[in-house]
Amino acid sequence: MEISHLEPVSGLAWSVFRGGREEVLRALGREHADAIRAFRGLPGGTWEAQVRRADGIAERLDAVIASTRRLLPVESQELAWIAEGAGISERDMWARNLRGDLGRDGTGCSDLALTTDAGVLMGHNEDGDGELHEEIRLVTLDIEGDPAVTAVWYPGMLPSNAFVTTTAGLAFGMDHVPVVTANTDGAGRHFVARHAQRRHSGDAARVVLSKVPCAGGFAFDVADAGGRADLIENAGGRVARASGAYRHTNHLRLIDGSADGLAVPDDDEWLQESRNRLGVLNGCGTPATADEVFAALRTPGVLGRSDDIWTFVTAVVDTAADEVLLAGSGEPWRGRWSAFARGERVPL
């Protein structure tokens, strides 16, 4: 078992864990126990609110936990090991990680991707509650038998729900898509994401995202070094996909959820915010470089700067140039994408 702490990237602390699955996940919780427990204990914070909500719908919570454990036992066990390492109740960890799988909860994140003759340009804004903007960091999990993954990580989360790159030549961005009613036969969306990110090829990852139903909803942005980009909406047990070029924020665009009551109503204030943000993103033209993708995602009206939606990280991958461009709270940083995925800080 090896743990190292790299020089921060654009204000983002970076920890690297290498070893067997159990020891890596326990160490992740143990090394960051103070941050995890501080967030769980924040009076009036979002985690506390999610636990209260989960307690109020305990039957639904238990159903989604049981379904997730049945469909994705490895990833469910990983969460338990993080909880044990951090000294946090496993049920509290489930309440936090199923935040978008128990009904309407939050908003945030924007994605832009397109294919070129040479490869894929893919960019992601990771947005969340403003209370967390000092806590977001990078973690690399180099687990025996899996591709190594480097993830933008929230303390207490399974590392999977934001921006993730892997040594299988894959990059993922996830956009929250609210659904009115959870599919209690599905798996928690973070667990579906983690299962896909552990695959050894883009084709295998896309099969997971298309075949394993999410209880709640995510729009998965998947780019690979082979030059392919796909957007897969997996929400409330329904799935739809588009390829090649797309932009996405926080509402269903490929799945028609209106007929079966899956989608939130048109007068939802955050639905309108998401549509407005997408409109601004669509007005940014067609980018041709990583810098232009980055500029589009940092445009006022796309970049979040409120307590409700704060852009913690902007990440862009150029697969042809083997480049990753990151902006956290510091100056933007460029690095070698393949090295970044395996937990090595190699500037360009």
Side-chain angles (χ1 to χ4, degrees):
M1 175 66 194
E2 176 188 345
I3 303 173
S4 58
H5 301 284
L6 306 185
E7 182 182 348
V9 168
S10 187
L12 298 166
W14 188 355
S15 302
V16 180
F17 301 83
R18 305 189 195 277
R21 189 176 312 282
E22 180 175 355
E23 58 187 359
V24 163
L25 273 301
R26 286 185 186 276
L28 176 65
R30 186 173 61 250
E31 284 288 304
H32 301 294
D34 288 348
I36 294 171
R37 288 199 294 262
F39 181 38
R40 171 61 186 93
L42 187 66
T46 54
W47 193 336
E48 181 183 87
Q50 285 150 9
V51 170
R52 286 199 308 271
R53 184 180 72 149
D55 288 343
I57 51 172
E59 184 176 347
R60 188 186 307 174
L61 172 69
D62 290 340
V64 176
I65 291 174
S67 183
T68 304
R69 285 174 169 158
R70 174 177 55 84
L71 292 168
L72 301 173
V74 172
E75 292 74 19
S76 298
Q77 182 60 62
E78 288 184 333
L79 186 72
W81 285 328
I82 297 171
E84 289 175 16
I88 291 286
S89 157
E90 186 179 341
R91 192 172 181 84
D92 283 5
M93 293 284 278
W94 277 103
R96 174 62 177 158
N97 279 266
L98 295 179
R99 60 170 298 181
D101 295 291
L102 302 175
R104 184 78 161 96
D105 190 329
T107 190
C109 300
S110 303
D111 273 80
L112 187 162
L114 69 156
T115 56
T116 69
D117 290 340
V120 179
L121 291 170
M122 188 271 270
H124 174 79
N125 271 358
E126 181 56 31
D127 300 341
D129 302 303
E131 67 185 9
L132 276 172
H133 74 273
E134 298 290 341
E135 304 299 332
I136 304 304
R137 59 181 302 125
L138 299 172
V139 297
T140 298
L141 308 182
D142 187 358
I143 294 172
E144 295 164 5
D146 283 1
V149 303
T150 295
V152 172
W153 186 59
Y154 294 64
M157 293 287 198
L158 197 64
S160 61
N161 67 299
F163 171 78
V164 177
T165 62
T166 88
T167 53
L170 303 178
F172 298 82
M174 277 64 66
D175 292 351
H176 168 66
V177 178
V179 298
V180 172
T181 304
N183 169 26
T184 54
D185 292 324
R189 58 198 186 146
H190 297 176
F191 300 82
V192 176
R194 171 82 179 131
H195 190 62
Q197 292 153 10
R198 294 179 47 238
R199 301 308 96 194
H200 289 270
S201 72
D203 287 345
R206 292 177 180 94
V207 167
V208 168
L209 298 177
S210 299
K211 298 297 185 183
V212 182
C214 289
F218 257 159
F220 296 93
D221 182 8
V222 187
D224 65 39
R228 181 173 170 182
D230 288 274
L231 176 66
I232 302 172
E233 286 184 350
N234 185 330
R238 296 182 60 185
V239 176
R241 186 162 91 183
S243 301
Y246 48 83
R247 299 162 199 235
H248 202 284
T249 51
N250 302 114
H251 58 280
L252 293 171
R253 301 197 62 210
L254 308 179
I255 296 171
D256 180 5
S258 58
D260 55 12
L262 182 66
V264 297
D266 274 344
D267 61 357
D268 183 279
E269 65 172 310
W270 293 112
L271 172 60
Q272 190 56 55
E273 186 281 331
S274 177
R275 287 172 171 168
N276 291 343
R277 186 159 25 101
L278 181 64
V280 176
L281 192 59
N282 284 335
C284 291
T286 301
T289 66
D291 287 296
E292 291 177 2
V293 173
F294 180 84
L297 290 168
R298 305 293 285 189
T299 299
V302 179
L303 184 73
R305 283 296 180 261
S306 72
D307 288 342
D308 294 313
I309 302 181
W310 187 277
T311 300
F312 304 127
V313 179
T314 299
V316 180
V317 167
D318 181 340
T319 67
D322 191 23
E323 175 185 358
V324 60
L325 173 58
L326 284 175
S329 61
E331 291 298 311
W333 178 86
R334 294 177 193 274
R336 187 68 64 192
W337 173 40
S338 54
F340 177 80
R342 61 179 179 262
E344 298 174 6
R345 192 183 190 282
V346 181
L348 285 180

